[in-house]
Amino acid sequence: AQSVAQPEDQVNVAEGNPLTVKCTYSVSGNPYLFWYVQYPNRGLQFLLKYITGDNLVKGSYGFEAEFNKSQTSFHLKKPSALVSDSALYFCAVRDGGGTTDSWGKLQFGAGTQVVVTP
Amino acid sequence: NAGVTQTPKFQVLKTGQSMTLQCAQDMNHEYMSWYRQDPGMGLRLIHYSVGAGITDQGEVPNGYNVSRSTTEDFPLRLLSAAPSQTSVYFCASSFRKPGTSGDTQYFGPGTRLTVL
């Protein structure tokens, strides 16, 4: 079984300050980890993913995430938040060791609402 | 490319009515899936397909049927709508290929369904 936890329903940050959105996961095999963002009344957009390799992953719009195997975490970060970063952020995981039919069976977290104030 | 398209954008049904949510993609993706989004619950997988003619159940399949006759289309059918099916429905697609070149799912804009 796989699961994802996003412990914060909402994160508030002032524009220009660092932004962190937390995510922890549980999978039986190697984790494939993803971050998606959802703007109001829109579908989800891919931000970044960790499959293997460097623990620090860089993605779209200046976001990055750090994979920490010992803490089973994959926190999303941005050094300087913008008002336009205000959105709903989802962390997702799947077991990288699954069969081909399990590819794409993502387990999503409940989402974290990010509010960036001017 | 249009990407992943969904119709309709909004729909109101009465309890017991049936309808089909349409999803199409023009990226030649093998993998397609349907999710529902409910407040505080993230996205939950309803059904998915790894290719034409192949479908399987996800986490919350009850009350929904799917079929995949072509690579491009993956319609979701509600046979007898219930108020518990009030939700926002998203279709997604990806290449059926793990690793850095695959695994990224592309989402449609969603269908907001209300069942009275």
Side-chain angles (χ1 to χ4, degrees):
Chain A
Q2 52 197 28
S3 64
V4 176
Q6 293 182 243
E8 300 156 317
D9 292 336
Q10 183 165 315
V11 170
N12 299 300
V13 63
E15 189 173 33
N17 283 358
L19 169 64
T20 298
V21 186
K22 296 179 180 178
C23 171
T24 58
Y25 66 90
S26 174
V27 294
S28 55
N30 291 326
Y32 283 17
L33 294 153
F34 306 81
W35 276 102
Y36 286 84
V37 60
Q38 183 181 31
Y39 297 101
N41 300 313
R42 302 285 295 276
L44 276 70
Q45 297 178 28
F46 169 78
L47 277 180
L48 52 80
K49 65 184 176 186
Y50 171 83
I51 304 297
T52 186
D54 195 345
N55 289 345
L56 184 63
V57 180
K58 295 187 183 297
S60 306
Y61 313 123
F63 283 94
E64 59 187 29
E66 185 168 10
F67 170 62
N68 188 317
K69 187 174 183 178
S70 63
Q71 297 185 0
T72 62
S73 67
F74 190 56
H75 301 331
L76 181 70
K77 299 180 181 181
K78 187 171 184 180
S80 179
L82 301 173
V83 172
S84 57
D85 293 328
S86 298
L88 186 58
Y89 291 80
F90 290 98
C91 182
V93 67
R94 79 165 184 86
D95 188 340
T99 66
T100 57
D101 286 352
S102 71
W103 297 346
K105 289 181 72 174
L106 294 180
Q107 183 71 46
F108 282 86
T112 298
Q113 184 70 48
V114 170
V115 178
V116 183
T117 53
Chain B
N1 287 349
V4 180
T5 58
Q6 292 183 237
T7 56
K9 290 186 178 180
F10 302 94
Q11 183 70 48
V12 179
L13 293 177
K14 295 181 179 179
T15 297
Q17 288 185 314
S18 62
M19 79 159 295
T20 299
L21 279 62
Q22 301 292 344
C23 174
Q25 53 90 12
D26 61 358
M27 296 173 283
N28 204 30
H29 286 166
E30 301 95 334
Y31 191 95
M32 296 186 73
S33 52
W34 277 101
Y35 295 89
R36 58 177 290 173
Q37 182 182 22
D38 301 292
M41 302 188 74
L43 276 76
R44 292 181 292 169
L45 183 64
I46 304 172
H47 285 285
Y48 67 99
S49 169
V50 299
I54 306 169
T55 64
D56 205 347
Q57 297 180 350
E59 181 183 356
V60 287
N62 292 341
Y64 307 96
N65 277 357
V66 293
S67 59
R68 184 95 178 270
S69 57
T70 67
T71 299
E72 295 78 17
D73 301 299
F74 191 44
L76 179 71
R77 298 182 184 86
L78 282 70
L79 302 177
S80 179
S84 61
Q85 294 178 305
T86 294
S87 186
V88 181
Y89 292 84
F90 289 102
C91 180
S93 71
S94 68
F95 286 113
R96 188 184 174 189
K97 185 177 181 181
T100 56
S101 59
D103 257 323
T104 299
Q105 294 202 8
Y106 295 84
F107 284 80
T111 295
R112 188 173 295 273
L113 175 67
T114 301
V115 182
L116 303 175

